[in-house]
Amino acid sequence: MKDRQPLGDTPVAEFRKQLHKLADWIADYREKIGKMRVAPNAKPGAIRAELSAQAPEQGEPFEKILADIDRVIVPGMTHWSHPMFLGYFGWTATAPGLLGEMISAPLNVNAMTWRTCPAATELETLVIDWLRQWLQLPEEFDGVVYDTASVGVMHALAVAREEAVPETRRLGLTNRDLPRFRVYTSDQAHSSVEKAAIALGIGEDNVQRVPSDAEFRMDAAALRAMVKRDAAEKFKPLAVIATVGTTSTASVDPVPEIAKICHEHKMWLHIDGAYGGGFAILPEYEWITKGWRSADSIIINPHKTLFVPLDFSVLYVRDLERLRRVFTLVPEYLRGDTVEAEKNYMDYGIQLGRRFRALKAWMIWRAFGREGMAAFMREHIRLVNLLADWIRIDKRFELAAPLVMPVVCFRFVGADKDPPSPTGSPARTSGAASKLDILNSEIVERINASGRAYLTQTKLRGRTVMRIGLGNVLTTEQHLRNVWELIQETSNELGRGGSPNRPGD
Ligand code: PLP
């Protein structure tokens, strides 16, 4: 580069120009995102084929790199922030959150100890405490920020394991005469529980899936019977993972009953509130917090519900020292940087290097306040109820699960609406049922391939259902009307036809 110093970064004046250009690029993206395809129509490998496979030998100008971003990368994205992206739980990228990400990039600190970045450490403690207050958790709960809930549950179970079998940290699990652990979670819980069991040497098969009731909540009586049976067979019941806001239907397990069983059998109680826990900031959802005070650990993902851009997941532990005892380990080269600290977050998990995640949470939560977030969440709840009403009116569709949070599961049944069957009945195996499963799956695939919206599909009691999650601040009632019309049209084309009921008819 002719005006670049032979050694050294981009000159400041040039960097400033690039930043201004990028600021416009980001604002334009945000402004135009609703007009883009939600997801590309690309085949695997197509994006890479558009880019040079040869690792660069010489540097290239920013303009050229940005041009490739516009030409290849952006059209190759599934745009999670698109207002018609209604998959998973919706998405929570917000302008203040994005600004927070932008500020943390140039700071580029490593918040492993207090001294390596005092402000990042203290801001992390501060936002963890703000969230604790909003959730009305007692002060004995303190937390740590990880990237994801999957990592959080693994750390929680590591502490449970150490407390159940002391010295595991030092001696490991092999060549010791130990009972087989059992971990219990509902048949609706997230697969991160098995992943944690795999990583911790507990073993995937030792995660026991407890049946759920007609409303997809863990059946506490079944849990009690399973724990009793396992204890009699010389297993070691270790922990229960109760879910507040399950992945498919956002159902809420009966935490107080589960807590009682945990107490009786000295099991660790972990609450997976990755998605649903955030709703506790709304007074009308206070009911979901029942039993939380009895928990040993609780996960909340503000990147799912509380408007913080990915990634930001908080693990709360009753008496955080329990977590520190399992993971603190200071190598010599870090000793000097750990001396004066009240808290060095590297002590609370396997990760050493840590991003400055707290900044974006602090910025978005200050910008919105609890009331601002509550207003958005209530709007999403209003919208999901509206959609559920449209589904109820159109006799060719049926709701597949109760509405608990802004997530709706529904199924196209065409003219052959199923006779009402008790939820919880086993999967139907008739040809008609599997045809409907294929049809529902095809409707979702067709819509996603169209680039006009993005939904997910899931299975409930063996039946394929469509699923919409609302959590995006850009999604409006009009977007929802558009997607409902698209679902009706697509179902008409692929199913048996009939005149659609338009929203508002
Ligand atoms: N728990 C629940 C209930 C989830 O729905 C999910 C993911 O959607 C997870 C845990 C895992 O979350 P993460 O991606 O943060 O690991």
Side-chain angles (χ1 to χ4, degrees):
M1 301 300 311
K2 67 177 174 357
D3 56 349
R4 185 170 293 175
Q5 293 142 15
L7 282 177
D9 204 354
T10 311
V12 170
E14 191 184 333
F15 182 49
R16 192 179 299 279
K17 268 197 235 149
Q18 294 170 354
L19 282 173
H20 284 296
K21 190 163 180 179
L22 201 57
D24 279 337
W25 187 97
I26 294 169
D28 287 348
Y29 173 69
R30 199 78 182 148
E31 195 178 3
K32 291 185 203 142
I33 188 171
K35 302 210 166 60
M36 295 178 178
R37 287 182 63 93
V38 186
N41 215 355
K43 296 268 174 291
I47 293 154
R48 206 145 50 89
E50 293 284 316
L51 299 168
S52 169
Q54 187 77 45
E57 194 59 22
Q58 267 92 43
E60 293 180 74
F62 170 70
E63 289 69 23
K64 198 162 168 227
I65 302 168
L66 189 60
D68 274 351
I69 291 175
D70 285 330
R71 182 180 64 85
V72 185
I73 306 296
V74 173
M77 302 290 294
T78 296
H79 294 281
W80 281 59
S81 299
H82 194 295
M84 295 287 268
F85 181 90
L86 304 163
Y88 306 98
F89 293 118
W91 209 231
T92 62
T94 57
L98 299 182
L99 293 176
E101 286 282 30
M102 285 161 69
I103 296 174
S104 68
L107 295 177
N108 196 29
V109 292
N110 189 335
M112 53 190 177
T113 73
W114 178 85
R115 200 196 271 180
T116 63
C117 195
T121 299
E122 295 193 18
L123 209 57
E124 183 162 336
T125 307
L126 185 83
V127 292
I128 287 169
D129 200 58
W130 279 4
L131 183 59
R132 182 192 63 74
Q133 292 170 38
W134 278 332
L135 302 173
Q136 297 186 44
L137 282 175
E139 276 179 20
E140 59 183 322
F141 282 90
D142 193 0
V144 53
V145 176
Y146 296 132
D147 51 358
T148 57
S150 304
V151 165
V153 68
M154 186 192 73
H155 282 88
L157 287 178
V159 185
R161 188 185 65 171
E162 182 68 20
E163 293 189 2
V165 179
E167 300 284 322
T168 296
R169 170 186 160 139
R170 205 165 61 83
L171 301 173
L173 290 172
T174 52
N175 284 336
R176 297 171 75 192
D177 190 17
L178 299 175
R180 260 172 78 180
F181 293 123
R182 286 286 212 217
V183 172
Y184 307 87
T185 197
S186 93
D187 58 14
Q188 301 298 308
H190 192 262
S191 51
S192 51
V193 182
E194 275 86 359
K195 286 247 183 128
I198 293 166
L200 293 169
I202 290 170
E204 187 180 350
D205 287 357
N206 287 316
V207 175
Q208 296 289 294
R209 292 289 187 153
V210 182
S212 52
D213 68 10
E215 299 196 355
F216 304 100
R217 302 167 298 198
M218 187 192 287
D219 177 343
L223 170 68
R224 183 181 288 283
M226 288 167 78
V227 172
K228 220 170 141 194
R229 187 198 60 211
D230 282 351
E233 290 177 10
K234 305 271 180 281
F235 287 99
K236 169 85 188 139
L238 179 70
V240 180
I241 285 83
T243 312
V244 171
T246 54
T247 309
S248 286
T249 68
S251 59
V252 176
D253 285 342
V255 178
E257 281 107 302
I258 295 168
K260 218 163 147 233
I261 298 168
C262 287
H263 182 72
E264 285 165 22
H265 291 268
K266 297 192 173 47
M267 290 186 289
W268 182 282
L269 172 57
H270 176 79
I271 296 175
D272 179 355
Y275 168 63
F279 283 90
I281 75 162
L282 302 175
E284 58 270 37
Y285 274 83
E286 203 185 336
W287 64 272
I288 67 172
T289 67
K290 285 209 179 88
W292 286 17
R293 285 162 184 251
S294 311
D296 293 283
S297 53
I298 303 173
I299 274 279
I300 309 282
N301 272 12
H303 74 229
K304 287 197 203 303
T305 330
L306 296 175
F307 305 100
V308 181
L310 186 75
D311 50 15
F312 193 92
S313 176
V314 188
L315 173 71
Y316 287 97
V317 180
R318 188 152 42 76
D319 182 7
L320 194 63
E321 181 57 21
R322 299 160 84 190
L323 179 64
R324 203 188 70 85
R325 273 199 294 271
V326 179
F327 287 104
T328 181
L329 199 156
V330 184
E332 261 329 302
Y333 81 101
L334 285 171
R335 203 163 292 281
D337 272 342
T338 54
V339 280
E340 67 271 82
E342 179 197 337
K343 208 173 243 170
N344 293 310
Y345 278 111
M346 71 169 195
D347 284 342
Y348 298 86
I350 53 170
Q351 190 178 357
L352 173 64
R354 314 177 74 253
R355 301 179 60 217
F356 190 1
R357 293 196 185 94
L359 187 70
K360 59 188 172 184
W362 184 67
M363 285 184 64
I364 169 71
W365 290 346
R366 280 186 68 177
F368 279 19
R370 193 199 60 81
E371 283 184 5
M373 290 194 286
F376 270 123
M377 291 159 94
R378 288 188 177 122
E379 173 64 0
H380 293 144
I381 292 160
R382 182 187 78 80
L383 291 179
V384 89
N385 276 294
L386 198 58
L387 175 60
D389 285 344
W390 298 337
I391 293 168
R392 283 188 197 101
I393 290 167
D394 190 329
K395 296 295 171 216
R396 298 160 312 144
F397 292 84
E398 65 183 17
L399 289 171
L403 284 190
V404 186
M405 290 168 189
V407 165
V408 61
C409 292
F410 58 101
R411 182 165 152 99
F412 179 71
V413 288
D416 299 338
K417 188 157 184 158
D418 295 339
S421 63
T423 332
S425 62
R428 292 175 310 169
T429 50
S430 70
S434 57
K435 260 194 223 151
L436 277 182
D437 289 335
I438 294 164
L439 184 55
N440 277 269
S441 179
E442 277 177 359
I443 295 166
V444 173
E445 293 291 326
R446 170 81 66 98
I447 289 171
N448 292 354
S450 77
R452 292 167 64 195
Y454 198 97
L455 322 181
T456 35
Q457 52 181 302
T458 188
K459 281 219 184 260
L460 294 177
R461 312 282 178 232
R463 296 179 188 185
T464 302
V465 301
M466 296 182 252
R467 184 183 169 291
I468 283 182
L470 293 167
N472 185 335
V473 296
L474 301 180
T475 304
T476 62
E477 184 173 325
Q478 189 56 50
H479 291 113
L480 205 62
R481 285 179 186 277
N482 294 347
V483 79
W484 178 233
E485 283 180 9
L486 182 59
I487 292 166
Q488 290 179 310
E489 275 165 27
T490 313
S491 305
N492 269 348
E493 274 169 38
L494 294 175
R496 277 157 230 239
S499 72
N501 297 318
R502 304 229 162 239
D505 282 0

